[in-house]
Amino acid sequence: MSLPYTGGCQCGQIRYEILAQPLTLYLCHCKECQKQSSSAFGMSLTVLRDAVVIVQGKPKAWTRKNDRGREVNNLFCGDCGTRLFHERTYKPNTINVKAGTLDDTSWLHPVGNI
Ligand SMILES: [Zn+2]
Ligand SMILES: [Zn+2]
């Protein structure tokens, strides 16, 4: 796969590009990720914060605390509700992209399950 990777929400109002190779991809089976994805697990593609550019639209955000009590900003499309990104305020240099929102998911190979 060649850069940039492109993706967006389900309704197409928000579009983003990833400009650098992701750092890792993992599947998380915690209760929060099950709720968020309404599925068995959530996919997190960790990317350098500066390498993710929103090229169309403006995500909405809400903040929750994770199981260690640290803040996570959850960014989503205000029109269709698709979850796009998780910003961990305690790790400001990276952002977790919800990998199912990529246009091409065929190349995704998770390194592990947590
Ligand atoms: Zn949308
Ligand atoms: Zn989780």
Side-chain angles (χ1 to χ4, degrees):
M1 283 294 295
S2 56
L3 295 166
Y5 303 139
T6 58
C9 68
Q10 197 169 12
C11 77
Q13 289 296 311
I14 297 175
R15 298 287 302 162
Y16 67 83
E17 292 183 356
I18 297 175
L19 308 179
Q21 288 299 335
L23 304 174
T24 189
L25 171 67
Y26 61 89
L27 308 183
C28 182
H29 297 254
C30 83
K31 191 68 200 162
E32 291 284 352
C33 288
Q34 290 178 345
K35 280 262 192 205
Q36 172 267 307
S37 65
S38 65
S39 178
F41 56 84
M43 273 198 289
S44 288
L45 185 71
T46 305
V47 183
L48 286 174
R49 183 69 188 84
D50 293 343
V52 177
V53 179
I54 294 171
V55 294
Q56 179 187 299
K58 188 178 189 326
K60 291 192 172 182
W62 69 283
T63 301
R64 64 180 167 87
K65 289 203 163 47
N66 69 9
D67 53 5
R68 293 182 183 172
R70 300 193 285 195
E71 282 191 346
V72 178
N73 295 324
N74 308 273
L75 283 77
F76 62 98
C77 173
D79 289 320
C80 70
T82 303
R83 190 72 66 84
L84 292 157
F85 311 107
H86 286 174
E87 288 178 332
R88 297 166 295 180
T89 57
Y90 52 97
K91 286 186 179 174
N93 294 333
T94 61
I95 187 168
N96 280 340
V97 178
K98 306 317 286 178
T101 61
L102 287 164
D103 293 334
D104 182 358
T105 54
S106 64
W107 56 277
L108 296 172
H109 294 287
V111 297
N113 292 268
I114 57 175

